[in-house]
Amino acid sequence: MKKLYNFILLSLVCFGANAQIVNIDQNGGSSGLIVVGQNNYHVSESIYLASEIGSAVFSGAGNGITKIGFSVNAGTVASLPVTITNFKVSMKNISSAVTTLANGNNNTTGYTVVYNGSITFSNLGWNTIVLSTAFVRTAGSNLQVKIERSNNLANSGLVFDPSVGNYSNPAQTTLSSRRYNGNAAITTTTALTATGFRPAIQLIKPFPVDAEVIGILNPYSSCYNSPQTVRVGIINNGTTTIAAGAASVSLEVATANTFLGSVSNTAPIPTDSIAILTFTGINMPNVGSNDELAIVSVAGDAFAANDSGFSGVTTTPILSPLPQVEDVEGAFNVFAYLRSIAGSNAWTVLSFISGTGAWQNGYTQNDSLVPRTGGGGSDFFLFDSWNQPAGTVSRLYSNCVSLPASGISRVSFWMSHDSAFATNLDSLYVIVSNDKGATWTRVGGFQRPDDALLEYTWLKDSVDISAYNGQTIQLGFEGVSDYGNAIGLDDINIYNIVTCTTFVTPTFNQVAAVCAGSPISLPAVSTNSITGTWTPAINNQATTTYTFVPNAGQCATNTPVTMTVTVNPATVPTFTQVGAICKGGTFSLPTTSNNSISGTWSPAINNQATTTYTFTPAVGICATTATMTVTVKQPTTSNTSISNCVSYTWNANTYTSSGTYTKTGLTNIAGCDSTAFLNLTIKQATSSNTSNSVCVNQLPYTWNGLSLSATGTYTKTGFTNAAGCDSIAILDLTVNSTPVTPTFNQVAAICVGGTFTLPTTSTNSVSGTWSPAVNNQLTTTYTFTPSGTQCATTTTMTVTVNQPTTPTFTQVSAICAGGSINLPTTSNNSITGTWSPAIN
């Protein structure tokens, strides 16, 4: 979607932890079923998050909310102001964990009534009421607001801004509100239905002194050639009157044009009153965007965040000659601006995607608007009156256009219109301003092309604007909604038809010959003021004859006017190749070619690296550039790393120790000096010595392929170590005597579950381990295995595990309550013990 510039009165709002005004109005849209509803009775409850308000804002003594506001979006604007009676507002703090509301009955539990009376909606935008009871928030809590209207009067026509969902999740499905609109009186059993639409709300705590910039009112975008007037609106949000001259407003204009000035209020500004300060004599003749910054200063102002306002206005170009065409494709070269006159802006640009349909009114699938065939492109302007209430007026208008002094000047356009409601007469007016947009005159009016059509169509219309010949004007299209049918607008053409009595032959001064490749410029205006274009396209490589085609409407002769522009071929400079050099050597490049063309070389000579140089002929010589590459050969450095055992011979020298060695004075293959490096590592032979003991019963002992059976020292040669050098292995072998049988004291028998320990060293000093693991549930035979190379055999031991005996008793006879009981302490099978619990 491309952007049109919408210049309206700029309203500034404030957010933040220390703000005195908090607006919760994200996500936009419109709703006629909130704030006051459209039936005889209305109730709504809504949750506003601490994160939306500010965790600590409006908390603490003296910091409570004293005003609230609701934003009128649209409605029966002509009937404003509208006063609603029996309007009650209640508030309460709730847990920050509660963010949604389910269906439920109306109740007043926990609420504080902060207002009960009438509310007047006097304008579009925010309308506020002063609370009868200030409401203090609990820091960190969410705020729940209840609105009731009980005047038993049907309400319609007012549409309000909602705040859809919660700030953290703006989807309509976040049910942060519930409401009732109906004709039955409100009671505690009135059922409320959950919804995602909360009323947009403004929470206010005034300071004693607080002036706010609420908007900058600019003139229309136009081709300014005279000083302009800009108005800045300020409001007194404080609780005390601002004295005459106490508020100073500075205005700075920057970017395309510059201005800096200040104005003070000439009359006192009471609480909640607006003052308009006027700046005159602002020069804005330079084409482009003008950025504006307004700042209000009042002594003692307690809230600086709302002291500034930003806006902008465009100084437009003057379009000439005709025709000027706006095809709504790409940039908006002619019609670039829009403005709301009554209600909201209804103009937009519709970009059509083939196969998906374009604009549909939702009333019938067969009633839609799509781009026109036959050159209409994919986009068009849309005045969407289907979604705007009756009486909405907004204006699409152009840059400045200079009309010729004579001929017939007209504006033509293609128009389409959906036809869902044959009795709703939405209108489109062609308008003209010849005073920089200060006033506009309707010069033609149109409604639907054919209200009998059930589907879209496009028809072409035009309006005569010859009454403005010789003037610089702005053209516009003013859409007026009857809340019924949308209007399409495309391919706007501002043109002039000239009736000629005499014809002029365009004359030109001959364009001088050029060198091939040089730029050629053909004049767009003849010496006798005829404008036009040349064909074919300019060719700066060959001599070409061009024909001048005058623009329409100039009474130029039909006889072709031609001009031949000579293009001389360029000579290619030739040079003898400069030979290669070694790095640091010298060479020169000739300043005159072999075929006598003088010039210069770039870049500067570089004797360190191979470089390509470009020769540029001297000014005035018809020759091409040429290049030459001069090779610079580089010295080389070789670096070799070698590992060797004992010694190494390199460059006729023998080296026996590790180190880095250098050889200079060498010549590489390119014939340049070179240096060689050797990183040498001398590896060493090694000798390993191993000692081992074995028992005689473990013979023979195998080592490195040898079968050994006696104590002694054995040697093995012919090994290569990890460094790749010869090595020797030595074994010191000890053969021990006949193996010993380990002896142990027998472990005594145990009861099941008892404990016992198997010794890890025998009574004859043999150490080792037992297997399997100790088992205190069953009688088990365990095997002792000597550890390491001890000359000893294995042995076994069986540990007996006895099973437990169950005590038996003679049953004690039953007794009467309170009688005595005697439990025996020894069982019939002689097992002694105690009883539990205590006798009862």
Side-chain angles (χ1 to χ4, degrees), residues 141-314:
S141 66
N142 291 342
L143 176 66
Q144 189 162 316
V145 178
K146 182 179 180 182
I147 301 170
E148 298 174 74
R149 178 181 59 81
S150 56
N151 58 357
N152 194 21
L153 294 174
N155 181 75
S156 64
L158 287 174
V159 179
F160 292 87
D161 284 327
S163 180
V164 178
N166 290 133
Y167 186 81
S168 59
N169 181 4
Q172 180 182 338
T173 54
T174 302
L175 304 180
S176 51
S177 185
R178 59 188 178 189
R179 68 191 179 201
Y180 164 77
N181 286 298
N183 298 322
I186 301 167
T187 67
T188 57
T189 60
T190 297
L192 306 182
T193 303
T195 176
F197 285 85
R198 303 176 294 176
I201 195 169
Q202 186 179 66
L203 306 175
I204 304 171
K205 167 62 176 75
F207 293 124
V209 180
D210 177 23
E212 176 186 0
V213 173
I214 58 170
I216 300 175
L217 187 61
N218 285 302
Y220 282 90
S221 298
S222 190
C223 46
Y224 304 122
N225 53 12
S226 59
Q228 298 300 306
T229 296
V230 173
R231 296 174 178 85
V232 177
I234 62 173
I235 187 172
N236 181 4
N237 292 322
T239 57
T240 59
T241 297
I242 298 175
S248 175
V249 176
S250 67
L251 177 67
E252 181 180 0
V253 179
T255 313
N257 298 278
T258 59
F259 171 81
L260 182 62
S262 62
V263 174
S264 297
N265 61 311
T266 58
I269 309 173
T271 296
D272 291 332
S273 295
I274 294 174
I276 304 297
L277 281 67
T278 301
F279 292 81
T280 60
I282 301 176
N283 292 312
M284 292 188 287
N286 299 324
V287 173
S289 297
N290 305 289
D291 298 323
E292 298 166 318
L293 167 64
I295 301 175
V296 61
S297 299
V298 180
D301 193 324
F303 187 59
N306 62 1
D307 290 349
S308 59
F310 303 89
S311 187
V313 65
T314 299

Side-chain angles (χ1 to χ4, degrees), residues 38 108 140 168 211 239 321 346 369 384 387-388 412 572 579 586 647 715 721 735 746 811 836:
Q38 295 188 349
T108 60
S168 59
T239 57
L369 295 177
D384 188 3
N387 290 305
Q388 296 296 333
S412 67
V572 178
T586 61
S647 65
T715 301
N721 64 4
V735 178
Q746 176 64 45
Q811 175 64 47
S836 62

Side-chain angles (χ1 to χ4, degrees), residues 607-815:
N607 66 354
Q608 300 297 306
T610 297
T611 304
T612 297
Y613 301 92
T614 298
F615 179 79
T616 302
V619 176
I621 300 177
C622 193
T624 66
T625 59
T627 61
M628 182 189 298
T629 300
V630 177
T631 301
V632 176
K633 299 181 290 185
Q634 302 294 321
T636 56
T637 300
S638 63
N639 195 326
T640 305
S641 295
I642 293 292
S643 295
N644 205 41
C645 296
V646 183
S647 65
Y648 184 73
T649 299
W650 180 69
N651 279 315
N653 292 316
T654 301
Y655 302 93
T656 59
S657 60
S658 298
T660 299
Y661 302 95
T662 304
K663 183 70 172 180
T664 60
L666 303 177
T667 301
N668 65 4
I669 193 170
C672 299
D673 291 339
S674 299
T675 302
F677 294 91
L678 172 67
N679 300 310
L680 179 63
T681 301
I682 297 297
K683 300 180 290 186
Q684 302 297 320
T686 58
S687 176
S688 63
N689 194 317
T690 304
S691 296
N692 206 354
S693 297
V694 298
C695 190
V696 67
N697 64 331
Q698 296 172 331
L699 296 176
Y701 180 79
T702 302
W703 176 74
N704 281 316
L706 301 177
S707 181
L708 307 176
S709 58
T711 298
T713 299
Y714 300 92
T715 301
K716 185 72 173 178
T717 61
F719 292 107
T720 300
N721 64 4
C725 298
D726 291 341
S727 299
I728 299 173
I730 301 172
L731 172 67
D732 297 317
L733 181 65
T734 301
V735 178
N736 296 316
S737 59
T738 303
V740 174
T741 299
T743 60
F744 296 91
N745 295 323
Q746 176 64 45
V747 173
I750 66 168
C751 280
V752 170
T755 60
F756 67 92
T757 302
L758 295 174
T760 58
T761 303
S762 68
T763 56
N764 54 348
S765 304
V766 178
S767 60
T769 58
W770 296 89
S771 63
V774 169
N775 184 355
N776 64 356
Q777 301 295 314
L778 295 172
T779 298
T780 303
T781 298
Y782 301 92
T783 300
F784 179 81
T785 303
S787 60
T789 57
Q790 299 174 96
C791 197
T793 64
T794 61
T795 189
T796 62
M797 182 189 296
T798 300
V799 179
T800 301
V801 177
N802 295 318
Q803 300 302 311
T805 301
T806 302
T808 61
F809 295 90
T810 301
Q811 175 64 47
V812 174
S813 300
I815 65 170

